[in-house]
Amino acid sequence: MGNKVRIERICEFCGKTFIAKTCKTRFCCKACNDKYYKELIRSDRYNAVTKEVKEEKKKRIRLAVDELEVIQAREFISLKQLAIYLGVSRKSIYTYMRIYEIPFSQIGK
Ligand SMILES: [Zn+2]
């Protein structure tokens, strides 16, 4: 083995001084590492961003479903047309239909 460098560091989670094996080590032990990331996930900033993304997605889906209902009430439309109309992929349409249990039938070409 090569020469071992002892790097004294302060654990970013518990604040204890420890000897790091590599200069990338940020925590004194695996437990601190795990706890740090768990807390990070729980932190407000992280949640705010995640929530925003989720809300945005929900809004988009709801909007799409509203439009879907309008279309359904009016006429039959192909999935391809629908996807173009809503500006989403065909895969997304299937997802919306599954989530909102929107009935659809497959009509031959
Ligand atoms: Zn620690």
Side-chain angles (χ1 to χ4, degrees):
M1 293 294 259
N3 50 326
K4 276 183 187 156
V5 186
R6 287 164 68 91
I7 313 154
E8 200 167 283
R9 304 213 63 169
I10 290 165
C11 174
E12 284 182 37
F13 184 77
C14 69
K16 255 192 258 169
T17 305
F18 68 101
I19 305 300
K21 283 182 196 122
T22 75
C23 53
K24 277 181 195 155
T25 312
R26 294 168 64 191
F27 309 98
C28 67
C29 58
K30 201 184 171 290
C32 277
N33 180 79
D34 290 349
K35 279 181 204 158
Y36 174 85
Y37 285 106
K38 256 178 211 159
E39 236 166 61
L40 189 74
I41 286 163
R42 247 184 257 140
S43 74
D44 292 343
R45 223 176 108 199
Y46 182 91
N47 283 337
V49 172
T50 313
K51 208 178 154 192
E52 213 173 277
V53 171
K54 271 188 192 161
E55 285 299 312
E56 190 54 44
K57 232 183 212 170
K58 237 194 234 170
K59 231 189 274 166
R60 267 195 67 179
I61 292 172
R62 207 158 280 156
L63 204 75
V65 168
D66 282 349
E67 291 189 61
L68 258 173
E69 275 163 5
V70 170
I71 294 161
Q72 277 202 325
R74 216 169 45 207
E75 60 188 336
F76 284 107
I77 190 166
S78 78
L79 270 183
K80 200 180 161 192
Q81 284 176 300
L82 191 58
I84 292 164
Y85 181 76
L86 297 176
V88 296
S89 68
R90 281 177 61 166
K91 213 176 140 203
S92 301
I93 303 285
Y94 281 118
T95 308
Y96 300 153
M97 286 178 165
R98 252 204 332 270
I99 292 170
Y100 291 95
E101 293 171 343
I102 295 164
F104 67 95
S105 38
Q106 289 204 313
I107 301 163
K109 284 182 222 174

PDB file of all heavy atoms in Angstrom, residues 57-68:
ATOM      1  N   LYS A  57     -47.183  19.170 -12.321  1.00  0.00           N
ATOM      2  CA  LYS A  57     -47.551  17.966 -13.055  1.00  0.00           C
ATOM      3  C   LYS A  57     -49.049  17.697 -12.899  1.00  0.00           C
ATOM      4  O   LYS A  57     -49.744  17.402 -13.857  1.00  0.00           O
ATOM      5  CB  LYS A  57     -46.748  16.776 -12.505  1.00  0.00           C
ATOM      6  CG  LYS A  57     -46.033  16.019 -13.612  1.00  0.00           C
ATOM      7  CD  LYS A  57     -45.322  14.831 -13.035  1.00  0.00           C
ATOM      8  CE  LYS A  57     -44.056  14.516 -13.804  1.00  0.00           C
ATOM      9  NZ  LYS A  57     -43.229  13.522 -13.132  1.00  0.00           N
ATOM     10  N   LYS A  58     -49.501  17.810 -11.657  1.00  0.00           N
ATOM     11  CA  LYS A  58     -50.923  17.572 -11.352  1.00  0.00           C
ATOM     12  C   LYS A  58     -51.788  18.531 -12.133  1.00  0.00           C
ATOM     13  O   LYS A  58     -52.812  18.156 -12.690  1.00  0.00           O
ATOM     14  CB  LYS A  58     -51.137  17.779  -9.846  1.00  0.00           C
ATOM     15  CG  LYS A  58     -51.725  16.551  -9.154  1.00  0.00           C
ATOM     16  CD  LYS A  58     -52.209  16.955  -7.793  1.00  0.00           C
ATOM     17  CE  LYS A  58     -51.624  16.086  -6.701  1.00  0.00           C
ATOM     18  NZ  LYS A  58     -51.907  16.639  -5.367  1.00  0.00           N
ATOM     19  N   LYS A  59     -51.369  19.799 -12.139  1.00  0.00           N
ATOM     20  CA  LYS A  59     -52.120  20.837 -12.830  1.00  0.00           C
ATOM     21  C   LYS A  59     -52.235  20.494 -14.308  1.00  0.00           C
ATOM     22  O   LYS A  59     -53.293  20.601 -14.901  1.00  0.00           O
ATOM     23  CB  LYS A  59     -51.395  22.185 -12.664  1.00  0.00           C
ATOM     24  CG  LYS A  59     -52.331  23.280 -12.162  1.00  0.00           C
ATOM     25  CD  LYS A  59     -51.649  24.630 -12.215  1.00  0.00           C
ATOM     26  CE  LYS A  59     -50.824  24.947 -10.978  1.00  0.00           C
ATOM     27  NZ  LYS A  59     -49.923  26.087 -11.176  1.00  0.00           N
ATOM     28  N   ARG A  60     -51.108  20.084 -14.859  1.00  0.00           N
ATOM     29  CA  ARG A  60     -51.074  19.758 -16.289  1.00  0.00           C
ATOM     30  C   ARG A  60     -51.983  18.585 -16.591  1.00  0.00           C
ATOM     31  O   ARG A  60     -52.695  18.583 -17.586  1.00  0.00           O
ATOM     32  CB  ARG A  60     -49.643  19.417 -16.717  1.00  0.00           C
ATOM     33  CG  ARG A  60     -48.904  20.613 -17.236  1.00  0.00           C
ATOM     34  CD  ARG A  60     -47.665  20.211 -17.975  1.00  0.00           C
ATOM     35  NE  ARG A  60     -47.952  19.508 -19.213  1.00  0.00           N
ATOM     36  CZ  ARG A  60     -47.021  19.082 -20.045  1.00  0.00           C
ATOM     37  NH1 ARG A  60     -45.765  19.281 -19.753  1.00  0.00           N
ATOM     38  NH2 ARG A  60     -47.329  18.451 -21.147  1.00  0.00           N
ATOM     39  N   ILE A  61     -51.941  17.599 -15.749  1.00  0.00           N
ATOM     40  CA  ILE A  61     -52.758  16.403 -15.961  1.00  0.00           C
ATOM     41  C   ILE A  61     -54.227  16.775 -15.857  1.00  0.00           C
ATOM     42  O   ILE A  61     -55.041  16.393 -16.692  1.00  0.00           O
ATOM     43  CB  ILE A  61     -52.386  15.279 -14.961  1.00  0.00           C
ATOM     44  CG1 ILE A  61     -50.982  14.759 -15.261  1.00  0.00           C
ATOM     45  CG2 ILE A  61     -53.410  14.151 -15.019  1.00  0.00           C
ATOM     46  CD1 ILE A  61     -50.437  13.789 -14.227  1.00  0.00           C
ATOM     47  N   ARG A  62     -54.557  17.570 -14.839  1.00  0.00           N
ATOM     48  CA  ARG A  62     -55.949  17.959 -14.633  1.00  0.00           C
ATOM     49  C   ARG A  62     -56.461  18.742 -15.845  1.00  0.00           C
ATOM     50  O   ARG A  62     -57.563  18.542 -16.316  1.00  0.00           O
ATOM     51  CB  ARG A  62     -56.061  18.801 -13.361  1.00  0.00           C
ATOM     52  CG  ARG A  62     -57.440  18.657 -12.755  1.00  0.00           C
ATOM     53  CD  ARG A  62     -57.436  19.002 -11.285  1.00  0.00           C
ATOM     54  NE  ARG A  62     -56.960  17.933 -10.443  1.00  0.00           N
ATOM     55  CZ  ARG A  62     -56.444  18.136  -9.244  1.00  0.00           C
ATOM     56  NH1 ARG A  62     -56.297  19.341  -8.779  1.00  0.00           N
ATOM     57  NH2 ARG A  62     -56.051  17.122  -8.512  1.00  0.00           N
ATOM     58  N   LEU A  63     -55.637  19.626 -16.308  1.00  0.00           N
ATOM     59  CA  LEU A  63     -55.980  20.442 -17.467  1.00  0.00           C
ATOM     60  C   LEU A  63     -56.226  19.530 -18.668  1.00  0.00           C
ATOM     61  O   LEU A  63     -57.205  19.689 -19.391  1.00  0.00           O
ATOM     62  CB  LEU A  63     -54.818  21.394 -17.760  1.00  0.00           C
ATOM     63  CG  LEU A  63     -55.185  22.668 -18.512  1.00  0.00           C
ATOM     64  CD1 LEU A  63     -55.886  23.639 -17.591  1.00  0.00           C
ATOM     65  CD2 LEU A  63     -53.917  23.317 -19.069  1.00  0.00           C
ATOM     66  N   ALA A  64     -55.334  18.593 -18.835  1.00  0.00           N
ATOM     67  CA  ALA A  64     -55.436  17.665 -19.959  1.00  0.00           C
ATOM     68  C   ALA A  64     -56.706  16.844 -19.844  1.00  0.00           C
ATOM     69  O   ALA A  64     -57.396  16.609 -20.836  1.00  0.00           O
ATOM     70  CB  ALA A  64     -54.214  16.760 -19.986  1.00  0.00           C
ATOM     71  N   VAL A  65     -57.029  16.431 -18.625  1.00  0.00           N
ATOM     72  CA  VAL A  65     -58.229  15.618 -18.416  1.00  0.00           C
ATOM     73  C   VAL A  65     -59.480  16.433 -18.692  1.00  0.00           C
ATOM     74  O   VAL A  65     -60.426  15.952 -19.317  1.00  0.00           O
ATOM     75  CB  VAL A  65     -58.242  15.016 -16.999  1.00  0.00           C
ATOM     76  CG1 VAL A  65     -59.603  14.422 -16.669  1.00  0.00           C
ATOM     77  CG2 VAL A  65     -57.161  13.944 -16.870  1.00  0.00           C
ATOM     78  N   ASP A  66     -59.477  17.684 -18.279  1.00  0.00           N
ATOM     79  CA  ASP A  66     -60.610  18.563 -18.566  1.00  0.00           C
ATOM     80  C   ASP A  66     -60.837  18.639 -20.069  1.00  0.00           C
ATOM     81  O   ASP A  66     -61.957  18.538 -20.547  1.00  0.00           O
ATOM     82  CB  ASP A  66     -60.338  19.977 -18.029  1.00  0.00           C
ATOM     83  CG  ASP A  66     -60.545  20.045 -16.526  1.00  0.00           C
ATOM     84  OD1 ASP A  66     -61.085  19.067 -15.970  1.00  0.00           O
ATOM     85  OD2 ASP A  66     -60.174  21.055 -15.918  1.00  0.00           O
ATOM     86  N   GLU A  67     -59.746  18.821 -20.769  1.00  0.00           N
ATOM     87  CA  GLU A  67     -59.838  18.919 -22.218  1.00  0.00           C
ATOM     88  C   GLU A  67     -60.275  17.596 -22.820  1.00  0.00           C
ATOM     89  O   GLU A  67     -61.046  17.569 -23.766  1.00  0.00           O
ATOM     90  CB  GLU A  67     -58.485  19.347 -22.791  1.00  0.00           C
ATOM     91  CG  GLU A  67     -58.179  20.787 -22.415  1.00  0.00           C
ATOM     92  CD  GLU A  67     -56.953  21.313 -23.133  1.00  0.00           C
ATOM     93  OE1 GLU A  67     -56.976  21.345 -24.354  1.00  0.00           O
ATOM     94  OE2 GLU A  67     -55.989  21.670 -22.443  1.00  0.00           O
ATOM     95  N   LEU A  68     -59.798  16.547 -22.218  1.00  0.00           N
ATOM     96  CA  LEU A  68     -60.167  15.208 -22.674  1.00  0.00           C
ATOM     97  C   LEU A  68     -61.671  15.028 -22.594  1.00  0.00           C
ATOM     98  O   LEU A  68     -62.295  14.508 -23.505  1.00  0.00           O
ATOM     99  CB  LEU A  68     -59.521  14.163 -21.762  1.00  0.00           C
ATOM    100  CG  LEU A  68     -58.279  13.449 -22.262  1.00  0.00           C
ATOM    101  CD1 LEU A  68     -57.703  12.593 -21.148  1.00  0.00           C
ATOM    102  CD2 LEU A  68     -58.594  12.592 -23.457  1.00  0.00           C
TER     103      LEU A  68
END
